[in-house]
Amino acid sequence: MDIEKFQNLHLQVPSPIEEIFDPLWTEQNIRILVKRDDLIHPIISGNKWRKLKEYIHLAQETPEYSLLSFGGAYSNHLYSLAYTGYMVGLHTIGIIRGEELNITSNPYLHQMSQWGMNLIFISRSSYKNKEIPKEISHQKYILIPEGGYSDVGLKGMKTLADELNYDIHADYLITAIGTGTTGLGLSQYISTKIIGILTLNNLDEIHEHMHEHSIKPENIELNSAYIFDKYAKNHEILTDFCIEFEQKHQIKIELIYTGRMFYGLYDLLKKKYFESGSTLVALHTGGIKLTD
Ligand SMILES: Cc1ncc(COP(=O)(O)O)c(C=O)c1O
């Protein structure tokens, strides 16, 4: 199936925009709009679709190539890739961290295999070096880096930028930063000031990416005050915040990305960071597992 047809039939693109209210910002005369990319599709939700779309285009132009990527045994990214490949008729290969695993190790792996993804399990050390297993080294494939950071991934943000430029004239856009693909990609296509909330200790790496792509610091402000630490799952403050947020706004968020981003947003609002009269867009980049 052609990718545009698939998008039209199965995905909610353009994704909806929803305003949320709280005295914290209404009293400052500030509007907060949430761009609900999490509602694009239950499996290919959030920035997963934005990151994958250009790769699917490429693969459809060269059908003799498979789409290959890496991930852990519960990778949302590989799960999305396997599903999309199945739906649009492309061959996919998933290299999984952990040689001790197999397709029956969890229901996600089993489902990915059912969708036709060729799953290859490699040792943690080979995974660390992103080694391509010998058994497929002769095959033709397009490699999607883990996390999707690449020129192709950045380009995938153009359609999201078009939706934002068309629908809203915001003063700020706030998004979570992992590899930076989403935030940096967007900064190439919108003039709205972007605030990137870092979720990992990788500020230097993101600065390098900005340099590589000639992205000026005035286009995107990076904030590393809300990383907590690697073990965000143990953070009561963050966990409580996510639960309260969902109760208040009826929008699910998770601890790693959108939880930190909205936590940062609330904190910046408490510190009166934004000028009165501003309109902000908070990008919901998805990340909610079907089981959550
Ligand atoms: C749900 C979610 N939000 C945000 C991000 C961070 O996006 P990026 O890696 O493009 O910076 C990710 C990373 O994959 C993610 O899964």
Side-chain angles (χ1 to χ4, degrees):
M1 188 193 305
D2 169 71
I3 187 172
E4 295 304 330
K5 187 168 174 196
F6 169 67
Q7 180 174 288
N8 293 340
L9 283 178
H10 297 280
L11 307 183
Q12 200 175 359
V13 175
S15 65
I17 292 163
E18 196 176 312
E19 182 156 7
I20 54 171
F21 300 92
D22 189 308
L24 174 64
W25 54 86
T26 50
E27 281 166 11
Q28 296 181 56
N29 187 27
I30 287 172
R31 291 182 70 198
I32 310 274
L33 308 173
V34 183
K35 176 71 172 161
R36 300 287 311 268
D37 265 16
D38 57 312
L39 298 180
I40 288 180
H41 186 274
I43 295 174
I44 332 163
S45 121
N47 57 9
K48 297 285 167 292
W49 174 244
R50 310 288 185 184
K51 288 181 183 182
L52 276 182
K53 190 177 172 189
E54 288 302 316
Y55 280 104
I56 307 285
H57 259 305
L58 269 182
Q60 286 197 325
E61 280 165 15
T62 50
E64 69 275 23
Y65 281 75
S66 303
L67 282 171
L68 177 148
S69 200
F70 290 84
Y74 289 89
S75 163
N76 272 350
H77 162 65
L78 282 187
Y79 199 69
S80 308
L81 176 63
Y83 174 74
T84 315
Y86 170 71
M87 292 299 285
V88 302
L90 288 172
H91 185 244
T92 56
I93 303 170
I95 313 276
I96 312 284
R97 183 177 54 227
E99 65 196 325
E100 72 286 4
L101 302 170
N102 62 57
I103 61 163
T104 59
S105 297
N106 74 42
Y108 290 99
L109 292 171
H110 185 248
Q111 180 61 72
M112 281 149 68
S113 163
Q114 294 283 305
W115 282 327
M117 181 176 254
N118 179 10
L119 293 175
I120 301 171
F121 300 88
I122 63 172
S123 70
R124 277 145 221 278
S125 59
S126 301
Y127 188 90
K128 212 170 163 196
N129 300 324
K130 298 290 175 289
E131 284 170 23
I132 303 291
K134 281 202 186 74
E135 61 211 270
I136 50 159
S137 55
H138 61 283
Q139 286 189 28
K140 289 181 174 172
Y141 57 80
I142 298 170
L143 192 147
I144 308 176
E146 201 183 11
Y149 177 76
S150 65
D151 285 349
V152 181
L154 291 170
K155 202 173 147 206
M157 298 305 144
K158 177 157 186 331
T159 50
L160 171 57
D162 290 344
E163 289 172 32
L164 292 166
N165 286 333
Y166 184 79
D167 282 332
I168 327 163
H169 298 282
D171 303 290
Y172 296 92
L173 178 132
I174 183 161
T175 185
I177 300 275
T179 61
T181 314
T182 310
L184 300 187
L186 275 177
S187 77
Q188 296 185 314
Y189 302 108
I190 60 173
S191 54
T192 310
K193 171 134 194 183
I194 298 177
I195 299 187
I197 303 291
L198 267 78
T199 57
L200 301 164
N201 265 316
N202 62 347
L203 188 59
D204 290 346
E205 187 192 336
I206 305 292
H207 277 145
E208 270 171 40
H209 291 339
M210 285 173 67
H211 184 68
E212 279 160 24
H213 293 277
S214 311
I215 297 167
K216 295 191 200 85
E218 50 272 31
N219 294 352
I220 179 159
E221 185 175 305
L222 299 170
N223 185 322
S224 42
Y226 307 104
I227 296 173
F228 291 81
D229 59 38
K230 209 169 141 192
Y231 302 103
K233 282 193 180 130
N234 301 332
H235 269 285
E236 243 174 76
I237 306 175
L238 205 50
T239 311
D240 291 350
F241 174 81
C242 291
I243 295 169
E244 257 177 56
F245 184 92
E246 184 181 342
Q247 284 167 353
K248 224 184 244 178
H249 302 296
Q250 308 301 311
I251 296 176
K252 264 190 191 226
I253 54 174
E254 44 70 55
L255 287 166
I256 313 290
Y257 297 105
T258 48
R260 283 161 158 139
M261 183 274 282
F262 277 110
Y263 184 93
L265 174 61
Y266 261 77
D267 195 53
L268 291 170
L269 284 156
K270 281 181 197 153
K271 292 177 174 150
K272 308 267 191 306
Y273 182 84
F274 305 101
E275 309 83 41
S276 172
S278 304
T279 298
L280 274 78
V281 175
L283 178 61
H284 195 318
T285 42
I288 310 293
K289 279 223 187 290
L290 293 175
T291 49
D292 284 349

